[in-house]
Amino acid sequence: MKRENRNIGSRMTREALRRKKTPFYQKKTFLISIVLILIIAIGIFIFWKANTNSNTTHTTQPSHKIEKVKPKKKTTKKASKPNKAQKVTKEQPAKKVEKQTDQKQTTTKIQNPGTYNDLTYDTDWYTFKISNEVKLIKDANGDAALLVKYNYTNKTSTAETPQQVQNNAIMLKQDDKQLSATTATGDNAQLVQASSNNQVQPGKSFDGALLVKVNSTTSEVTMYFKNIQTNNWLDSTQPLKLD
């Protein structure tokens, strides 16, 4: 019996020694405590996460509603006002500006409205150089007529017909009566017709002629030239003696 008790005592002491020598992290109590700590930590994290999500949803929803309502009211008001302003400012004032610019072109931009000197009639729009070859001839009806040759230069930006410009810018009078154009014959007819048919391009010159019927072969004929700005006749004139 004593030998058995000793064996039991020796066994108990060996197991106790083995337990004492076992590392703490391999003991069941330590493992159980670690598992419990993890479970508690996970529960705390889940609870905290749920609270933070609820707080963010409550705080962000009102702000989104404000952002959606305010811009709509502002954009509708701003869009309606410019449309009304454009209709008023882009239709009526534009026409007024165009009329003002047209008036300026006819008044302020003209530098030379008309001058006559030494057989040269000059403006910003054209130049007529009167030839010394002014003579009496017979027209197509056999009546006395005065032929005046000239050189015309077009200073505008469009093609012009010399006779149309001459009819508007030059006037011939005899005994205070305006002389009328007549028809020529022969070589003179080709020259006069070319003046009425040909178009002179901008910056180009043309040799033409005018032919007017005269009432007397002895009375002096006077040429008058127009001021393109005032549409009045210049004070300078050119007398043409027929005898």
Side-chain angles (χ1 to χ4, degrees):
M1 292 295 292
K2 290 180 179 180
R3 190 176 288 177
E4 288 179 359
N5 289 333
R6 289 177 180 176
N7 291 333
I8 292 170
S10 61
R11 289 177 184 176
M12 290 297 291
T13 55
R14 287 178 182 176
E15 288 180 1
L17 290 173
R18 184 177 60 80
R19 288 176 183 176
K20 288 181 179 181
K21 291 181 180 180
T22 301
F24 71 91
Y25 54 83
Q26 291 183 356
K27 294 180 179 180
K28 292 182 179 181
T29 56
F30 177 77
L31 295 175
I32 293 170
S33 62
I34 292 298
V35 172
L36 290 175
I37 291 170
L38 289 175
I39 292 171
I40 294 169
I42 291 170
I44 293 171
F45 176 77
I46 293 171
F47 179 77
W48 173 80
K49 190 69 176 176
N51 288 333
T52 54
N53 289 333
S54 62
N55 290 331
T56 54
T57 54
H58 287 300
T59 55
T60 54
Q61 285 179 357
S63 63
H64 285 301
K65 289 182 180 179
I66 293 171
E67 289 178 358
K68 288 180 180 179
V69 172
K70 287 186 177 180
K72 286 182 180 179
K73 291 182 179 180
K74 290 181 180 179
T75 52
T76 52
K77 289 182 180 179
K78 288 182 179 179
S80 60
K81 290 181 180 179
N83 290 334
K84 293 181 179 179
Q86 287 177 357
K87 290 181 180 179
V88 175
T89 57
K90 287 188 177 180
E91 291 179 0
Q92 296 177 353
K95 294 181 180 178
K96 292 181 180 179
V97 172
E98 288 178 359
K99 291 181 180 179
Q100 291 176 357
T101 54
D102 292 339
Q103 292 176 354
K104 288 180 180 179
Q105 288 179 355
T106 57
T107 56
T108 60
K109 289 187 177 180
I110 295 176
Q111 301 297 324
N112 182 11
T115 55
Y116 181 76
N117 185 29
D118 194 19
L119 298 177
T120 301
Y121 168 44
D122 187 40
T123 70
D124 283 352
W125 297 348
Y126 43 75
T127 298
F128 282 93
K129 290 185 178 181
I130 309 302
S131 173
N132 285 324
E133 190 178 355
V134 177
K135 59 183 179 180
L136 286 171
I137 63 171
K138 296 291 185 178
D139 65 5
N141 297 324
D143 297 326
L146 180 65
L147 180 69
V148 181
K149 295 182 179 181
Y150 58 78
N151 177 270
Y152 164 77
T153 301
N154 182 7
K155 297 167 116 180
T156 66
S157 59
T158 58
E160 298 289 345
T161 303
Q163 189 184 44
Q164 292 180 356
V165 178
Q166 167 254 307
N167 287 341
N168 182 63
I170 298 175
M171 178 177 62
L172 287 87
K173 281 187 175 183
Q174 186 182 45
D175 299 328
D176 289 334
K177 292 181 180 179
Q178 185 174 350
L179 302 179
S180 301
T182 186
T183 305
T185 59
D187 295 337
N188 294 323
Q190 294 180 358
L191 183 61
V192 174
Q193 287 176 3
S195 301
S196 61
N197 296 330
N198 291 353
Q199 283 194 332
V200 181
Q201 298 301 318
K204 301 297 182 180
S205 298
F206 173 81
D207 290 325
L210 63 88
L211 184 68
V212 292
K213 182 181 178 181
V214 294
N215 300 321
S216 171
T217 58
T218 57
S219 297
E220 185 177 87
V221 176
T222 304
M223 295 183 70
Y224 296 84
F225 310 96
K226 186 168 287 188
N227 183 314
I228 62 174
Q229 188 171 20
T230 63
N231 211 32
N232 296 325
W233 298 103
L234 300 177
D235 294 333
S236 300
T237 60
Q238 177 63 52
L240 303 173
K241 293 183 179 182
L242 303 184
D243 53 356

